[in-house]
Amino acid sequence: MYTQAGQFSKETTHDVLVVGLSKNGHLDSGAATVNTLINGQLDELKKQGLLSTDKGELRSFFTFGQANTPTILTLGLGSKDELTTEDIRELAGKIGKKAKADRVTNLAISLDAFTNDSLSSQEIAFLFGEGLALSTYEVVDYKEKSNKPDKQLESITFYSESADQLVEAATEGRAYATGANYTRTLVNTPANLLTPTDLAGEAEKLADKYGFKLEVLEEEDMKRLGMGALLAVTAGSDQPAKLIVLTYQGTDKWENAIGLVGKGITFDAGGISLKPAAGMHEMKMDMGGAGAVLGAMESIGQLKPDVNVVAVIPSAENMINGSALKPGDVVRAMTGKTIEIRNTDAEGRLILADAVAYARQLGVDYLVDVATLTGAVVVALGDYTTGAITNNDAWMKKVTEASEVVGEWIWQLPSHKPYKKMLATSNVADLNNAPGRAGGSITAGLFIGEFVEDTPWVHLDIAGTAWQDKATANGPAGATGAMARTLTRLVVSHT
């Protein structure tokens, strides 16, 4: 898909060549070559004000036979020296969207225009591989299709004087994006088409594709193991729960293993503590944590890092029938701790309690759980930033560093003792699953922390970041794929 070349020439054939224009007026060597080939048209169009150097502004014009590539697309870079990784990712997204709209299959990019003292050509290639793939993702719909043939980017050439391995870097960036896009597809899928059984089927596909070890626990297995919290949630549904385990062993010896745990509620009606009807159709996205974990495993399968990973996904529906969990019920988790149910819509923490305990039993040394857990995190942080709780500052730092590399913001919430005491406010059980609105995201995360013991652990609440109502440069409205790339980076950088 990717090719690296030194100089664009008149004989080179692409559908479109992208040239970056910065406010300093200086043309990089690639743009200068293009300008010469087309008899100074770039300079002339700039003088006439027909080309913009404002960041993100796109302009296109034809070469009219002066080069075999018929179209030049200029992209304003603003002040080139101030470009950041997030800027490049967004600029790549703008190019990707434009290429998709114009049905471009063969794209070329004059890459050196985007580099500065902070960003190498190799980093730029990674960001283009990532950004182009993220931006061209399409939400699968079920409308009647037209007969118009589908066209996608098939070939991307980077023109650069750099000796860096640009193809390898772009391929790695695309692997990150592929995982995030897989997450998006899972989260966007209607709940009738993605039950817990279907989610286990997706895990099986990954296992077959990449050679992962797969284990799927059925409800009888959960009863045997004493997973009363997970079984309590699934009691209200006709769909059987699944506990999905994918194992990737990247080293000869099983050690230093990371456990990735993702909440897999494929539809959340709230149970007897029923959610409002308005917006309930979006509750197909309550398996966003499971989607992020499976998306990360897709990327890990492609990248094959020298790291050991266990992915654990508790999956169920939170529905209502005559056997459904009721407020006031007391259930016993796998660890033996008892839980009083004050709110059946606080179900994610219940299934995660048994899942993190099982992950520990499998021998992981570090834990990250990802969940669309609380509405409170949306109130606190909006849909831009993921909330986090931890029991280990060093592990939290590694997770945060991974998130910063891929541009997914995380904010650590406090976990002081008074919050933990709020969990012990039941008169009949060890824990209260919903001690009140105050500090709701914190107490929800700390509830899960009650089951990780001393294993270094980070909880990521993506209730706000897993879904967006408006399109961005790097994707359409709907599922965002939040945390799939962060988890991938965390695993790849783990030593």
Side-chain angles (χ1 to χ4, degrees), residues 11 37 138 151 188-189 219 237-238 243-244 252-253 282 342 369 422 442 469:
E11 289 74 26
L37 287 174
E138 279 189 286
K151 288 192 174 183
N188 283 325
T189 301
E219 289 184 0
S237 173
D238 293 338
L243 187 74
I244 304 159
D252 293 335
K253 187 177 180 181
E282 292 184 351
R342 295 285 183 87
D369 81 78
M422 293 172 68
I442 297 170
D469 293 328

Side-chain angles (χ1 to χ4, degrees), residues 198-279:
D198 295 323
L199 200 61
E202 292 295 327
E204 185 177 5
K205 292 175 186 176
L206 287 176
D208 292 342
K209 186 177 181 180
Y210 296 115
F212 300 145
K213 178 184 175 183
L214 173 67
E215 177 186 32
V216 179
L217 272 62
E218 305 294 343
E219 289 184 0
E220 285 301 317
D221 302 312
M222 299 174 205
K223 290 176 185 176
R224 178 175 49 82
L225 291 166
M227 294 183 174
L230 175 49
L231 288 168
V233 173
T234 194
S237 173
D238 293 338
Q239 293 288 339
K242 305 288 180 180
L243 187 74
I244 304 159
V245 182
L246 281 173
T247 303
Y248 166 77
Q249 185 164 349
T251 65
D252 293 335
K253 187 177 180 181
W254 186 261
E255 59 185 4
N256 209 24
I258 298 177
L260 305 178
V261 182
K263 174 186 171 184
I265 297 292
T266 56
F267 188 78
D268 182 17
I272 287 179
S273 304
L274 188 66
K275 290 180 180 292

Side-chain angles (χ1 to χ4, degrees), residues 133-417:
L134 288 172
S135 64
T136 52
Y137 171 79
E138 279 189 286
V139 176
V140 175
D141 64 41
Y142 307 92
K143 299 178 181 180
E144 186 176 352
K145 305 301 180 185
S146 71
N147 293 323
K148 193 175 183 180
D150 185 34
K151 288 192 174 183
Q152 299 180 349
L153 271 176
E154 298 173 356
S155 174
I156 300 169
T157 301
F158 298 117
Y159 286 101
S160 174
E161 296 179 345
S162 170
D164 290 338
Q165 295 179 313
L166 306 185
V167 171
E168 290 80 359
T171 302
E172 183 179 2
R174 182 177 176 80
Y176 276 66
T178 301
N181 287 343
Y182 179 47
T183 300
R184 286 168 161 172
T185 295
L186 292 174
V187 177
N188 283 325
T189 301
N192 63 320
L193 303 179
L194 190 70
T195 65
T197 300
D198 295 323
L199 200 61
E202 292 295 327
E204 185 177 5
K205 292 175 186 176
L206 287 176
D208 292 342
K209 186 177 181 180
Y210 296 115
F212 300 145
K213 178 184 175 183
L214 173 67
E215 177 186 32
V216 179
L217 272 62
E218 305 294 343
E219 289 184 0
E220 285 301 317
D221 302 312
M222 299 174 205
K223 290 176 185 176
R224 178 175 49 82
L225 291 166
M227 294 183 174
L230 175 49
L231 288 168
V233 173
T234 194
S237 173
D238 293 338
Q239 293 288 339
K242 305 288 180 180
L243 187 74
I244 304 159
V245 182
L246 281 173
T247 303
Y248 166 77
Q249 185 164 349
T251 65
D252 293 335
K253 187 177 180 181
W254 186 261
E255 59 185 4
N256 209 24
I258 298 177
L260 305 178
V261 182
K263 174 186 171 184
I265 297 292
T266 56
F267 188 78
D268 182 17
I272 287 179
S273 304
L274 188 66
K275 290 180 180 292
M280 195 192 287
H281 63 285
E282 292 184 351
M283 285 300 100
K284 63 183 181 180
M285 55 83 74
D286 209 23
M287 42 61 65
V293 169
L294 288 176
M297 294 303 289
E298 165 69 41
S299 298
I300 290 164
Q302 293 182 42
L303 297 171
K304 297 178 173 56
D306 298 330
V307 182
N308 299 316
V309 183
V310 177
V312 179
I313 296 170
S315 186
E317 289 183 337
N318 188 24
M319 301 287 284
I320 309 172
N321 63 20
S323 302
L325 183 66
K326 303 175 293 296
D329 285 357
V330 174
V331 302
R332 188 180 298 275
M334 181 182 175
T335 61
K337 289 184 178 181
T338 56
I339 305 161
E340 181 185 5
I341 307 303
R342 295 285 183 87
N343 187 334
T344 65
D345 195 25
E347 86 297 331
R349 65 202 73 181
L350 297 176
I351 70 171
L352 288 168
D354 282 336
V356 296
Y358 190 67
R360 289 184 64 255
Q361 186 172 295
L362 295 175
V364 300
D365 301 284
Y366 303 89
L367 274 169
V368 179
D369 81 78
V370 190
T372 50
L373 205 66
T374 66
V377 80
V378 185
V379 176
L381 301 175
D383 57 2
Y384 307 109
T385 303
T386 292
I389 292 285
T390 189
N391 65 355
N392 186 287
D393 289 339
W395 184 231
M396 182 74 243
K397 183 180 179 182
K398 288 186 177 181
V399 174
T400 302
E401 288 173 348
S403 75
E404 289 172 349
V405 169
V406 301
E408 295 185 318
W409 300 331
I410 290 175
W411 186 265
Q412 183 180 346
L413 298 166
S415 56
H416 306 306
K417 286 184 179 179

